């Protein structure tokens, strides 16, 4: 040991612990202390002057034994600590309490500071007189830095897990819950403290519990996976006993030599409700489409049949009148038959006329609806498969809310029809972009536009685009746009098409806004 090791290692009649040391033992103790190069170990006299200084102290603090022995130990304290008398206070505390341990900053010879774990022990001789102090100093700067970095990473990870909407449950290889995230607490209704240490099967229906324990037992014995590494749709159980559909993904890792499994759980309740709502809406739209198609066909047939029925009645009446001049009994019977035929032809024409008038009125059950919600819901249905087809969808909805008086199902039918037509028009195009927009067109009126980058509208179709049975599709009936026109016009709006600036077509239609003065009544 460097410095005056013999003065403390073997004082007259006693060592520091009250046991006598021979010269050999003192040398061995000196070698042991000097070999502890990760610790600065040194001795102070009662006044705080350094008497022993090991190699670890030289390495950590930078002063050699020749430079430091005999000088006051306070030279390794920061200036602000020296100014407030901390070195003397530390020795006084050690003398009073016997031992002091703390973490505080110290100064090296080159002026740099380091965070140190410091232990000061008061040393007494066999008669109880203070002989000095022993100090052990360890540089913990890197250790604390690593601890702070680890704590920061843990806080960061905790913040991420706290905001992830999926629930996270960690279990050991016997199915015991080790961690239960905040999202899991909200999803299942359990508090983490109540479930940690319990079996994860408490989150499952009774019918699945035995099977889960069996899968874990099989995996421990054979390594054959059942759920690990895959995503499955299962059923969960909340604390109140309510069951719900969920999606489970399980991963495996090892911590401290023990296998742990992390499950990420997503509540599918809202998704299934949305899918059910879309199925119901699709069914409603299909039904309405059939009704509208029947109405359009009836209107068209009424228009086309009215003229030939009228002509038939005229011809029959003319033939009847021509036979009126003859008195033959046989011809009288024929005249009566022709008269009946003319009456029935006129009756048929009247029926057709009434049907056409009924269809033309287009009466609909209207209610105030927020246009953005209608457009969004229709787009969710109409755009099914669009992403897989490579279509980029742009929603450019007016930021101002628009309350319109409509039959929601019929207007959604118009939007779905226009969206599906746009998707079909872009099937073979290199650029596929669909834009759905709304804009306040004029006082009391809002315009909705569905624009595509498809092949556009041919000149031969431009004038008869919205006529019944006009189509460019091989398998189409040509009723879709005709139905759209019937619905829009029945709502007091209009529908038309224009070429898109970048190619393709844009279909526009207008709807009537709810009068602000009559909004409450609506």
């Amino acid at each position: 040991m460097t410095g005056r090791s013999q003065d403390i290692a073997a004082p007259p009649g006693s060592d520091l612990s009250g046991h006598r040391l021979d010269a050999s033992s003192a040398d061995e103790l000196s070698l042991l202390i000097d070999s502890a190069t990760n610790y600065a170990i040194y001795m102070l006299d009662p006044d705080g002057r350094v008497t022993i200084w090991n190699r670890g102290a030289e390495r950590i603090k930078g002063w050699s034994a020749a430079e430091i022995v005999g000088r006051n130990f306070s030279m390794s304290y920061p200036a602000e600590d020296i100014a407030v008398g901390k070195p003397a206070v530390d020795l006084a505390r050690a003398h009073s309490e016997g031992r002091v341990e703390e973490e505080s900053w110290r100064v090296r010879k080159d002026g740099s500071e380091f965070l140190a774990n410091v232990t000061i022990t008061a040393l007494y001789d066999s008669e109880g007189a203070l002989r000095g102090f022993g100090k052990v100093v360890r540089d913990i700067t890197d250790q604390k830095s690593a601890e702070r970095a680890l704590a920061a990473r843990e806080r960061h990870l905790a913040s991420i897990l706290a905001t992830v909407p999926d629930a996270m449950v960690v279990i050991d290889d016997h199915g015991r819950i080790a961690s239960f995230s905040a999202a899991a607490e909200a999803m299942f209704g359990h508090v983490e403290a109540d479930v940690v240490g319990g079996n994860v099967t408490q989150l499952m229906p009774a019918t699945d519990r035995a099977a889960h324990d069996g899968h874990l037992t099989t995996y421990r014995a054979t390594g054959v996976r059942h759920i690990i590494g895959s995503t499955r749709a299962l059923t969960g159980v909340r604390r109140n006993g309510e069951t719900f559909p969920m999606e489970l993904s399980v991963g495996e890792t090892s911590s401290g030599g023990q296998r742990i499994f992390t499950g990420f759980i997503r509540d599918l309740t809202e998704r299934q409700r949305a899918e059910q709502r879309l199925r119901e809406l699709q069914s409603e739209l299909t039904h309405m489409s059939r009704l509208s198609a029947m109405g359009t066909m009836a209107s068209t047939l009424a228009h086309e049949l009215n003229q030939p029925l009228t002509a038939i009645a005229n011809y029959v009446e003319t033939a009847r009148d021509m036979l009126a001049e003859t008195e033959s009994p046989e011809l009288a019977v024929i005249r009566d038959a022709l008269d009946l035929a003319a009456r029935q032809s006129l009756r048929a024409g009247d029926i057709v006329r009434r049907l056409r008038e009924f269809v033309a009125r287009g009466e609909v059950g209207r209610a105030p609806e927020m246009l953005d919600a209608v457009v969004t819901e229709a787009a969710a249905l109409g755009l099914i498969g669009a992403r897989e087809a490579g279509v980029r969808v742009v929603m450019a909805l007016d930021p101002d809310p628009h309350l319109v008086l409509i039959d929601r199902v019929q207007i959604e039918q118009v939007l779905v029809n226009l969206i599906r037509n746009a998707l079909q028009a872009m099937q073979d195009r290199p650029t596929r972009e669909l834009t759905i927009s709304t804009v306040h067109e004029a006082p009391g009126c809002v315009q909705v536009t569905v624009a595509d980058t498809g092949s556009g509208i041919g000149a031969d179709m431009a004038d008869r685009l919205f006529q019944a049975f006009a189509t460019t599709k091989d398998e189409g009936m040509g009723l879709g746009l005709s139905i759209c026109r019937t619905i829009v016009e029945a709502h007091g709006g209009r529908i038309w098409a224009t070429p898109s600036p970048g190619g393709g077509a844009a279909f526009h239609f207008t709807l009537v806004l709810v009068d602000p003065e009559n909004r409450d009544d609506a």
Side-chain angles (χ1 to χ4, degrees):
M1 184 186 297
T2 57
R4 295 178 296 166
S5 60
Q6 69 278 10
D7 294 339
I8 299 300
S14 174
D15 68 356
L16 300 179
S17 302
H19 299 283
R20 296 181 181 278
L21 292 175
D22 57 24
S24 175
S25 297
D27 289 341
E28 290 175 355
L29 179 61
S30 297
L31 290 173
L32 176 63
I33 293 175
D34 262 344
S35 66
T37 56
N38 289 329
Y39 295 85
I41 302 175
Y42 51 102
M43 303 294 182
L44 310 176
D45 66 16
D47 295 323
R49 290 184 293 270
V50 178
T51 60
I52 295 177
W53 190 257
N54 81 332
R55 289 192 178 89
E58 291 182 351
R59 186 186 70 81
I60 293 173
K61 296 197 173 187
W63 287 284
S64 66
E67 293 173 314
I68 196 73
V69 169
R71 301 177 66 181
N72 194 281
F73 81 111
S74 62
M75 62 191 299
S76 64
Y77 278 70
E80 58 269 24
D81 286 351
I82 295 175
V84 297
K86 180 173 172 54
V89 170
D90 287 350
L91 292 185
R93 284 179 57 203
H95 188 191
S96 173
E97 300 173 14
R99 183 176 181 273
V100 173
E101 183 175 0
E102 66 176 14
E103 293 179 359
S104 58
W105 291 93
R106 291 294 184 265
V107 178
R108 297 186 178 91
K109 179 182 178 181
D110 61 8
S112 62
E113 294 187 357
F114 65 97
L115 184 62
N117 177 272
V118 180
T119 302
I120 305 176
T121 303
L123 305 174
Y124 302 92
D125 61 18
S126 59
E127 297 178 356
L130 179 67
R131 292 295 305 273
F133 301 90
K135 288 195 67 174
V136 179
V137 178
R138 181 165 59 91
D139 184 350
I140 60 173
T141 307
D142 292 341
Q143 174 188 327
K144 288 297 179 181
S145 177
E147 289 175 357
R148 286 193 295 270
L150 179 60
R153 287 196 298 271
E154 289 177 347
R155 288 194 300 272
H156 181 60
L157 178 60
S159 68
I160 292 174
L161 294 177
T163 56
V164 170
D166 293 346
M168 186 186 75
V169 179
V170 180
I171 65 172
D172 62 19
D173 58 359
H174 286 80
R176 293 184 293 263
I177 297 175
S179 178
F180 202 71
S181 71
E185 291 183 334
M187 183 180 296
F188 288 94
H190 293 284
V191 177
E192 183 178 30
D194 294 339
V195 296
V196 167
N199 197 297
V200 72
T201 55
Q202 63 188 290
L203 309 178
M204 307 173 187
T207 53
D208 295 342
R209 294 174 184 175
H212 182 269
D213 287 340
H215 294 323
L216 277 178
T217 302
T218 300
Y219 183 63
R220 288 196 303 269
T222 66
V224 176
R225 298 182 173 187
H226 183 68
I227 296 179
I228 301 168
S230 63
T231 300
R232 300 187 63 185
L234 301 170
T235 300
V237 177
R238 306 189 203 277
R239 183 180 181 182
N240 60 7
E242 175 190 355
T243 60
F244 65 98
M246 69 181 195
E247 185 178 80
L248 173 65
S249 300
V250 181
E252 178 188 6
T253 187
S254 179
S255 177
Q258 182 182 19
R259 285 183 298 195
I260 60 174
F261 306 98
T262 303
F264 289 93
I265 303 166
R266 179 170 299 175
D267 190 339
L268 300 180
T269 304
E270 291 304 319
R271 181 195 295 181
Q272 291 193 0
R273 285 177 182 169
E275 291 174 351
Q276 177 63 26
R277 172 59 186 145
L278 285 177
R279 285 193 295 269
E280 292 173 355
L281 176 60
Q282 189 171 22
S283 177
E284 292 175 2
L285 291 178
T286 301
H287 178 65
M288 186 59 64
S289 177
R290 289 172 179 170
L291 290 179
S292 297
M294 290 174 63
T296 300
M297 291 181 66
S299 178
T300 302
L301 289 173
H303 175 74
E304 298 297 330
L305 292 176
N306 192 54
Q307 289 182 347
L309 285 173
T310 301
I312 290 172
N314 290 335
Y315 286 128
V316 170
E317 288 178 346
T318 300
R320 180 199 60 192
D321 293 341
M322 290 175 65
L323 294 174
E325 300 174 357
T326 304
E327 297 298 333
S328 171
E330 292 82 2
L331 294 179
V333 176
I334 295 175
R335 283 198 305 272
D336 292 340
L338 290 174
D339 184 59
L340 291 173
R343 289 179 185 179
Q344 292 303 315
S345 296
L346 291 173
R347 181 171 178 272
D350 186 55
I351 293 172
V352 169
R353 203 162 35 250
R354 290 172 181 267
L355 176 61
R356 184 181 180 190
E357 290 173 358
F358 173 78
V359 173
R361 282 200 300 270
E363 296 178 354
V364 293
R366 303 179 190 176
E369 301 280 358
M370 295 305 301
L371 182 59
D372 282 8
V374 175
V375 172
T376 302
E377 188 172 71
L381 180 60
L383 291 172
I384 293 175
R387 179 179 298 178
E388 291 78 3
V391 177
R392 178 175 177 265
V393 179
V394 178
M395 300 290 287
L397 304 183
D398 194 329
D400 294 331
H402 296 297
L403 189 66
V404 289
L405 192 61
I406 60 171
D407 182 306
R408 185 185 187 102
V409 172
Q410 289 194 356
I411 295 304
E412 287 183 353
Q413 177 193 350
V414 171
L415 283 163
V416 170
N417 199 348
L418 295 180
I419 291 170
R420 300 308 296 181
N421 284 350
L423 295 178
Q424 291 178 9
M426 295 187 292
Q427 282 181 346
D428 301 324
R429 307 296 291 180
T431 301
R432 300 170 188 153
E433 182 172 298
L434 177 66
T435 302
I436 304 173
S437 60
T438 60
V439 63
H440 196 167
E441 184 196 45
C445 186
V446 62
Q447 177 180 312
V448 183
T449 298
V450 177
D452 61 60
T453 57
S455 54
I457 302 170
D460 59 327
M461 286 294 298
D463 296 336
R464 55 192 186 96
L465 196 59
F466 296 96
Q467 293 180 7
F469 308 114
T471 181
T472 58
K473 301 176 184 177
D474 294 337
E475 299 179 356
M477 291 184 63
L479 292 174
L481 292 178
S482 176
I483 293 171
C484 290
R485 183 184 66 178
T486 301
I487 293 173
V488 171
E489 291 179 352
H491 281 78
R494 61 192 181 94
I495 186 169
W496 71 100
T498 61
S500 291
F507 285 81
H508 321 269
F509 66 91
T510 60
L511 295 172
V512 178
L513 292 169
V514 173
D515 187 346
E517 296 182 359
N518 300 325
R519 181 169 295 184
D520 293 337
D521 297 336

